């Protein structure tokens, strides 16, 4: 494996969704242990994998703000109730294992088709994200968890093709296969997980609410986006670096919580009108690294729940200040949740918009054509959490206020 350089994983899309709940409160039922066969299967699964505290994937996990540690290390054999094990959730009545969260657990090894993991047929939620399963493929057996609602195989160094059997998970509401890539130094190639059956899978998973496929190599790109139109329950979609092109599909404005389409080749303009009421819960909107152009419509600045707005590395232009008429009709007071804003490397011009001073953590307006002065007075208390403020490469003048 020495010829492999594992990429240092960077966060392409900021995910704001909450992590899986790993334990649910249930009555004191120490008399009733977990099922013997499931306990055996779990121990076999644990023993089939090594623990590597120094893997690069653990560092990637730490950069996401989670503390990596070996959850399986505390799993004990004799007579113990596996429902109490770290990362395990059981149904309080049947005592079957219904949830397994081994994300960021320093696991290293492969998951072959005969792994005892696949005997846990009651699983509703499975999270193996941020472990090193190189050079495993995603086994077709993952399609056998017929009750699965959430599947998270993000950032695991899985290789090869996403199996068609994923389409057989009728209850799947959340699927995360993002960021499974590595550099094969022998062939000097950047390799991604491939998804040749994207259309079939997505058309069958009609209950999907969250879909994260960042850096997955979707084969039929031309028709893939239209296959997503029927996912009427979709709340979060992340397709960063998937090689999509053409105009932004209109159905994305029906997605209610998180939209990330960064690092593709989308072209054209943002629509001047959308149904804003549908977007009132939207927390994250990331279109950076495309070839979008034209003015940024004012509705984008009136989304009350937006925490993250990234439009950088596009050809957007025009002024961001809004005329008094528009301001009266649509005051910009709804951007009050914004924490991170990047508009860098576009072609914005005119004075700095006053509302940027409502952004609480990071502001990047570098590499544009903004002109004028910085405001001499601001409400500093609002900016006390600000960690980054970049105005470089503009045409601003005047004094830098103290
Ligand atoms: C609850 O479980 C603990 C062991 O985990 C045991 O010591 C205790 O007696 C139990 N209480 C009841 C009311 O069963
Ligand atoms: C642990 O992971 C690191 C980095 O990925 C790797 O260099 C090392 O060889 C691994 N250790 C073992 C025992 O496989
Ligand atoms: C899985 O199959 C491999 C051979 O392909 C074998 O070496 C291994 O023991 C099997 N594991 C289990 C748990 O049956
Ligand atoms: C998958 O798990 C990782 C690690 O816990 C987490 O950061 C990510 O948000 C999860 N994805 C989904 C869709 O919940
Ligand atoms: C699509 O879902 C149905 C019902 O869940 C299932 O019977 C069928 O096999 C799935 N199709 C594919 C291609 O997996
Ligand atoms: C994506 O898939 C195509 C077709 O299988 C392949 O030619 C290409 O090398 C893949 N790209 C990456 C980055 O894996
Ligand atoms: C969407 O669903 C309708 C009705 O079920 C179907 O006729 C149509 O082909 C589907 N569209 C796509 C792109 O899958
Ligand atoms: C958005 O969803 C509504 C139903 O909630 C549907 O009628 C409409 O066609 C969808 N719009 C697009 C562009 O998909
Ligand atoms: C601001 O948000 C409120 C409620 O979320 C909404 O009623 C109002 O129309 C919004 N204002 C603008 C300018 O969009
Ligand atoms: C900043 O947010 C506050 C609410 O937190 C709001 O009252 C104010 O109008 C906003 N200012 C701008 C310029 O959007």
């Amino acid at each position: 494996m020495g010829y492999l350089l594992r990429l240092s994983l960077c966060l392409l899309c900021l995910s704001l969704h909450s992590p899986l709940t790993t334990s649910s409160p249930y009555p004191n039922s120490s008399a009733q242990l977990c099922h013997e066969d499931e306990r055996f299967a779990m121990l076999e699964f644990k023993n089939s994998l090594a623990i590597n505290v120094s893997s690069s994937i653990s560092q990637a996990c730490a950069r996401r703000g989670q503390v990596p540690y070996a959850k399986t290390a505390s799993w004990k054999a004799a007579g113990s109730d596996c429902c109490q094990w770290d990362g395990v959730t059981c149904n309080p009545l049947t005592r079957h294992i219904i949830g397994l969260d081994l994300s960021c657990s320093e696991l290293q090894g492969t998951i072959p088709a005969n792994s005892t993991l696949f005997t846990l047929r009651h699983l509703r939620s499975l999270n193996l994200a941020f472990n090193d399963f190189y050079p495993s493929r995603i086994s077709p057996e993952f399609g056998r968890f017929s009750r699965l609602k959430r599947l998270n195989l993000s950032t695991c160094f899985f290789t090869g093709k996403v199996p068609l059997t994923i389409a057989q998970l009728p209850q799947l509401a959340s699927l995360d296969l993002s960021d499974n890539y590595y550099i094969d130094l022998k062939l000097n190639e950047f390799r991604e997980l491939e998804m040749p059956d994207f259309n079939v899978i997505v058309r069958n998973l009609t209950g999907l609410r969250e879909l994260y496929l960042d850096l997955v190599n979707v084969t039929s790109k031309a028709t893939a986006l239209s296959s997503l139109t029927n996912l009427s329950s979709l709340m979060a979609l992340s397709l960063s670096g998937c090689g999509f092109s053409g105009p932004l599909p209109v159905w994305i404005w029906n997605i209610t919580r998180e939209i990330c389409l960064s690092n593709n080749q989308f072209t054209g303009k943002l629509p001047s009108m959308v149904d804003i009421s549908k977007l009132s819960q939207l927390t994250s909107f990331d279109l950076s690294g495309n070839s979008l152009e034209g003015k940024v419509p004012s509705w984008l600045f009136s989304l009350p729940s937006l925490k993250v707005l990234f439009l950088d590395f596009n050809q957007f232009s025009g002024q961001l200040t809004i005329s008094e008429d528009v301001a009266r009709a649509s005051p910009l007071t709804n951007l009050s949740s914004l924490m991170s804003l990047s508009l860098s490397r576009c072609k914005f011009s005119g004075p700095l918009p006053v509302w940027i001073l409502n952004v609480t953590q990071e502001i990047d307006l570098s590499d544009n054509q903004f002109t004028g002065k910085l405001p001499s007075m601001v409400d500093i208390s609002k900016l006390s959490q600000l960690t980054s403020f970049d105005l470089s490469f503009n045409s601003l003048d005047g004094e830098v206020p103290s």
Side-chain angles (χ1 to χ4, degrees), residues 276 280 302 304 329-331 334:
I276 291 201
S280 66
S302 58
S330 160
N334 276 355

Side-chain angles (χ1 to χ4, degrees), residues 5 8 53 80 124 140 155 268 317 364 367 374 377 385-386 394:
L5 170 69
S8 92
V53 292
S80 72
R124 289 166 179 277
T155 325
S317 57
D364 186 355
D367 246 311
L374 293 175
M377 294 273 282
Q385 308 295 311
L386 200 66
N394 280 292

Side-chain angles (χ1 to χ4, degrees), residues 167-168 170 200 204:
Q168 291 166 11
V200 182
N204 227 26

Side-chain angles (χ1 to χ4, degrees), residues 307-355:
K307 292 191 165 85
V308 173
L309 176 59
F310 293 157
L311 301 177
D312 50 300
F313 282 91
N314 277 291
Q315 264 99 63
F316 289 121
S317 57
Q319 301 203 4
L320 291 171
T321 43
I322 287 192
S323 73
E324 292 229 352
D325 293 359
V326 179
R328 254 196 306 277
S330 160
L332 288 172
T333 52
N334 276 355
L335 266 185
S336 51
S337 307
L338 206 58
M339 295 162 70
S340 290
L341 173 73
S342 183
L343 304 175
S344 76
R345 305 252 186 154
C346 289
K347 294 173 174 168
F348 291 115
S349 57
L352 292 175
V354 281
W355 53 259

Side-chain angles (χ1 to χ4, degrees), residues 101-121:
D101 181 358
L102 292 178
S103 59
C104 294
S105 293
E106 303 174 336
L107 298 173
Q108 188 171 47
T110 57
I111 306 183
N114 64 358
S115 168
T116 54
L117 173 70
F118 301 116
T119 66
L120 299 172
R121 290 297 159 81

Side-chain angles (χ1 to χ4, degrees), residues 10-31:
C10 64
L11 184 57
L12 285 165
C13 280
L14 199 68
S15 306
L16 294 164
H17 40 266
S18 47
L20 288 172
T21 346
T22 56
S23 59
S24 59
Y26 47 81
N28 193 345
S29 45
S30 55

